[in-house]
Amino acid sequence: MKAIVPFKVVNVKSRLASLLTPEERSELAKLMLRDITSTLAAAGVEVELLTTQPFEWDGATVIVSEKELNPALNDYLLANDSPVMIVMADIPLITEKNVRDMLASPADIVICPGRGGGTNVQLIRRPDKYHVDYYGASFMDHMRIAQENGLTTEVFDSFNVSSDIDEAGDLIELYIHGKGDAAKYLRSITVLDDSKGRVRVVKEESNLRAVRIPGKMTG
Amino acid sequence: MKAIVPFKVVNVKSRLASLLTPEERSELAKLMLRDITSTLAAAGVEVELLTTQPFEWDGATVIVSEKELNPALNDYLLANDSPVMIVMADIPLITEKNVRDMLASPADIVICPGRGGGTNVQLIRRPDKYHVDYYGASFMDHMRIAQENGLTTEVFDSFNVSSDIDEAGDLIELYIHGKGDAAKYLRSITVLDDSKGRVRVVKEESNLRAVRIPGKMTG
């Protein structure tokens, strides 16, 4: 089984910019990718990366396409006769067991929802009879495309796989549940804050700044 | 196996007030509770509700306690010798298979994380050696309490069970993935909106209002 992982090389994870610097976002994105590709490899899956510009990655073939995500992936499906997985690069909680459980499903299309209507992993046994349509409520679109092409589907029910790290509010899942290098890195540069209702991840500096109001310090 | 489901009778689901009227919130909360209690019953689990004031619910014993959530649940654990589940009332995507899979686990504590560090379901085989601590990052607290008491744990990995419907932004999961009466009701009073990046659930009226700017209408 092969998996293709789309990975953005420049201005990585821009929606985390409210909390993390460009260097931190780049480092976190690479560690998430490393956790995910290692997990796929451990489950016996051969990894290919899809990028928009040349990039080196140990243990993976890099496919460069200047096209947008959907046409680039649909080109890839057209060029493949055998089953293939499409795995998003921001789901660092995915485990080897998750991958093996998906591989064990007999469905033509195994689809793992992301939060908010997205699609985080697809296992596509019939790439010749399928195409993808990411963005927006892609989960519904993918279920419809499978149905229109007479393909059987299984919705894979996993908190790990559904937890894509896209916005700052998502980092809490990686901080609390992560076991890989991306989680270790995140925990080294942020702290938990449960002072405002929902628990979230913040920079320690910003907490200190909030406390250190000049002339208001005591003790 | 018994399950206790805490349920708030007054000012229900107040964090959905940005989108739903009090009547709609009350109806949605009751339909979610109905979906959940039916699912538990179908899996052979006996349901008890924990409320702060008298309330009638078909098919469930109602336990009234004026205490806060944690002391009320810990009283309940103290009064029980045999295994018990604690199930939140806002996880309408939970399936009979999810419940049966949890029941099949041999762990002393089976814990299903909610988003943002929360705890959505716990199966507690040793209520005499355990206590709960909800609110904040309760998942970490519960894992710690189990460990301190020498209890084995299993983290139950489920998107369905992790999806608690707490804030308006959570409704998208019920709208897209729900199969029960709560989802049908939600789909009857809201529509999907993917005009602003992440897909969300809105009232159709509010869309129309946004379009109908006086003096700006054409056609």
Side-chain angles (χ1 to χ4, degrees), chain B residues 2 48 50 56 61 68 97 111 118 129 137 140 162 201:
Chain B
K2 284 199 302 190
E48 300 187 318
L50 176 66
E56 299 243 327
T61 308
E68 295 287 325
K97 180 178 187 303
I111 181 165
K129 297 187 78 176
M140 292 161 79
S162 75
V201 164

Side-chain angles (χ1 to χ4, degrees), chain A residues 15 98 113-117 136-137 139-140 157-160 162 164 166-167 170 172-173 176-177 192 198-199, chain B residues 15 98 113-117 136-137 139-140 157-160 162 164 166-167 170 172-173 176-177 192 198-199:
Chain A
R15 291 165 78 185
N98 290 146
R115 292 166 168 196
F139 175 83
M140 293 161 80
D157 175 30
S158 166
F159 170 72
N160 295 331
S162 75
D164 44 289
D166 190 34
E167 300 179 349
D170 303 328
I172 182 74
E173 311 304 348
I176 289 186
H177 298 285
L192 279 192
R198 281 207 170 182
V199 190
Chain B
R15 292 166 76 186
N98 290 145
R115 291 168 167 196
F139 175 82
M140 292 161 79
D157 175 28
S158 166
F159 169 74
N160 294 331
S162 75
D164 44 289
D166 190 33
E167 301 180 349
D170 302 330
I172 182 72
E173 311 304 349
I176 288 187
H177 298 285
L192 278 193
R198 281 206 168 182
V199 190

Side-chain angles (χ1 to χ4, degrees), chain A residues 27-149:
Chain A
E27 180 69 10
L28 185 68
K30 284 181 187 166
L31 290 170
M32 292 199 293
L33 182 62
R34 174 60 62 208
D35 287 342
I36 293 163
T37 57
S38 302
T39 298
L40 288 165
V45 175
E46 180 192 336
V47 181
E48 300 187 319
L49 298 190
L50 176 67
T51 70
T52 52
Q53 51 192 269
F55 179 68
E56 298 242 328
W57 193 256
D58 196 31
T61 307
V62 176
I63 299 170
V64 180
S65 169
E66 288 177 2
K67 291 189 179 179
E68 295 287 325
L69 182 67
N70 286 320
L73 285 171
N74 287 326
D75 282 354
Y76 182 82
L77 293 182
L78 273 175
N80 274 280
D81 291 332
S82 46
V84 60
M85 298 176 78
I86 300 174
V87 179
M88 293 296 111
D90 59 358
I91 51 166
L93 301 185
I94 191 171
T95 65
E96 190 182 327
K97 180 179 188 302
N98 290 146
V99 180
R100 291 189 187 281
D101 286 348
M102 279 182 249
L103 294 174
S105 167
D108 295 326
I109 308 289
V110 184
I111 182 166
C112 306
R115 292 166 168 196
T119 308
N120 285 357
V121 174
Q122 299 191 75
L123 190 160
I124 301 160
R125 293 197 187 279
R126 296 295 304 270
D128 58 320
K129 299 186 76 174
Y130 193 68
H131 65 276
V132 297
D133 187 0
Y134 283 92
Y135 304 121
S138 68
F139 175 83
M140 293 161 80
D141 294 327
H142 288 136
M143 293 293 279
R144 179 182 47 73
I145 293 164
Q147 195 169 29
E148 285 172 357
N149 289 287

Side-chain angles (χ1 to χ4, degrees), chain B residues 207-218:
Chain B
N207 272 349
L208 292 175
R209 204 175 300 135
V211 174
R212 287 183 186 149
I213 304 167
K216 295 266 186 181
M217 291 293 283
T218 56

Side-chain angles (χ1 to χ4, degrees), chain B residues 6-217:
Chain B
F7 186 72
K8 200 177 165 191
V9 180
V10 289
N11 195 18
V12 183
K13 286 281 134 198
S14 54
R15 292 166 76 186
L16 297 177
S18 62
L19 188 69
L20 304 182
T21 67
E23 294 72 26
E24 288 168 337
R25 286 184 275 136
S26 174
E27 180 68 11
L28 184 68
K30 283 181 187 166
L31 290 170
M32 291 199 294
L33 183 63
R34 173 59 63 207
D35 286 342
I36 293 163
T37 57
S38 302
T39 298
L40 288 165
V45 175
E46 180 191 336
V47 181
E48 300 187 318
L49 298 189
L50 176 66
T51 70
T52 52
Q53 51 192 270
F55 179 67
E56 299 243 327
W57 193 257
D58 195 32
T61 308
V62 175
I63 299 170
V64 179
S65 169
E66 289 177 2
K67 292 189 179 178
E68 295 287 325
L69 182 67
N70 285 320
L73 286 172
N74 286 326
D75 282 355
Y76 182 82
L77 293 182
L78 274 174
N80 274 279
D81 293 331
S82 47
V84 60
M85 298 175 80
I86 301 175
V87 179
M88 292 298 109
D90 58 359
I91 51 166
L93 302 185
I94 191 171
T95 64
E96 189 182 330
K97 180 178 187 303
N98 290 145
V99 180
R100 292 190 187 277
D101 286 348
M102 280 183 250
L103 294 174
S105 167
D108 293 328
I109 307 290
V110 183
I111 181 165
C112 305
R115 291 168 167 196
T119 308
N120 285 357
V121 173
Q122 299 191 76
L123 189 161
I124 301 160
R125 292 198 188 280
R126 296 295 303 271
D128 58 321
K129 297 187 78 176
Y130 193 69
H131 65 276
V132 297
D133 187 0
Y134 283 92
Y135 304 121
S138 67
F139 175 82
M140 292 161 79
D141 294 328
H142 289 136
M143 292 292 278
R144 180 182 47 73
I145 293 164
Q147 193 169 30
E148 285 172 357
N149 289 288
L151 301 172
T152 61
T153 55
E154 179 183 332
V155 179
F156 189 80
D157 175 28
S158 166
F159 169 74
N160 294 331
V161 183
S162 75
S163 298
D164 44 289
I165 307 300
D166 190 33
E167 301 180 349
D170 302 330
L171 290 167
I172 182 72
E173 311 304 349
L174 179 59
Y175 191 104
I176 288 187
H177 298 285
K179 294 186 170 66
D181 288 340
K184 285 186 197 114
Y185 176 68
L186 179 65
R187 291 192 285 255
S188 77
I189 59 169
T190 60
V191 293
L192 278 193
D193 174 20
D194 62 358
S195 63
K196 289 185 186 173
R198 281 206 168 182
V199 190
R200 61 202 181 112
V201 164
V202 297
K203 287 282 185 74
E204 195 158 24
E205 291 77 5
S206 63
N207 272 349
L208 292 175
R209 204 175 300 135
V211 174
R212 287 183 186 149
I213 304 167
K216 295 266 186 181
M217 291 293 283

